[in-house]
Amino acid sequence: MTAERWWVRLAARWLARIDGVSGMVRLAMLGMTGLSTATLTLRQYGHGEYAWPLIGVTLAGTVVFTYLYTEGGVWNQMSRDRQDLSNNFANPSMRMNNELLARAVLAAQEKRELTDAEREAIKSELNAGFDEYRDGIELEQFE
């Protein structure tokens, strides 16, 4: 953690949360604009009686979307994808660098070329570590 003061950590955490859902907030605002335009259009063309059913269907659809988005795993998958795309220690380029470094260090320690079994052992160990850490870490465990 880089911040020492409690209020800085709290503010940063909340700003990160807001940033995390900002796309959904924008989507909600677009939905409200579309719903407003649709109901005004219905009223303008003499079909105002369909405005409330449209609003009801939109609200029900929003609840279903929200449930499926959060409980269906979309939110978690997006978080994983963002983590994979970000610059963390378990991205593919670091995975390759780690394997090359491990091979170089072991070859230097042994003062010889590595055997195929040693290369496979390094690759297997790095694959296990990469798979373990590719989803990141739970920040709450450090609080």
Side-chain angles (χ1 to χ4, degrees), residues 2-140:
T2 57
E4 296 295 326
R5 294 166 293 209
W6 68 270
W7 62 271
V8 174
R9 288 194 311 265
L10 182 67
R13 178 62 56 91
W14 275 103
L15 287 172
R17 286 177 177 144
I18 291 169
D19 185 50
V21 297
S22 65
M24 290 296 108
V25 171
R26 281 192 299 275
L27 181 62
M29 293 301 139
L30 283 171
M32 289 174 58
T33 301
L35 186 60
S36 173
T37 303
T39 56
L40 286 173
T41 303
L42 285 172
R43 270 189 24 197
Q44 184 70 26
Y45 287 102
H47 300 292
E49 69 273 8
Y50 296 119
W52 283 110
L54 177 64
I55 291 169
V57 167
T58 303
L59 288 175
T62 300
V63 169
V64 169
F65 171 79
T66 302
Y67 178 80
L68 293 175
Y69 182 76
T70 56
E71 299 299 320
V74 175
W75 176 267
N76 292 335
Q77 186 61 50
M78 283 178 52
S79 295
R80 285 187 201 101
D81 291 346
R82 280 191 188 114
Q83 185 71 21
D84 284 348
L85 293 173
S86 71
N87 187 15
N88 79 16
F89 60 90
N91 66 26
S93 65
M94 288 302 295
R95 165 63 184 79
M96 291 181 283
N97 288 341
N98 289 341
E99 182 175 344
L100 292 173
L101 182 61
R103 288 170 67 171
V105 167
L106 184 59
Q109 287 175 343
E110 298 292 324
K111 295 182 177 67
R112 61 174 172 78
E113 287 188 19
L114 301 180
T115 66
D116 288 339
E118 289 169 329
R119 288 188 184 104
E120 285 302 314
I122 289 171
K123 191 177 290 191
S124 173
E125 185 61 30
L126 288 173
N127 284 340
F130 179 78
D131 289 341
E132 179 182 350
Y133 290 120
R134 73 176 289 275
D135 290 335
I137 57 173
E138 295 293 328
L139 293 178
E140 284 77 21

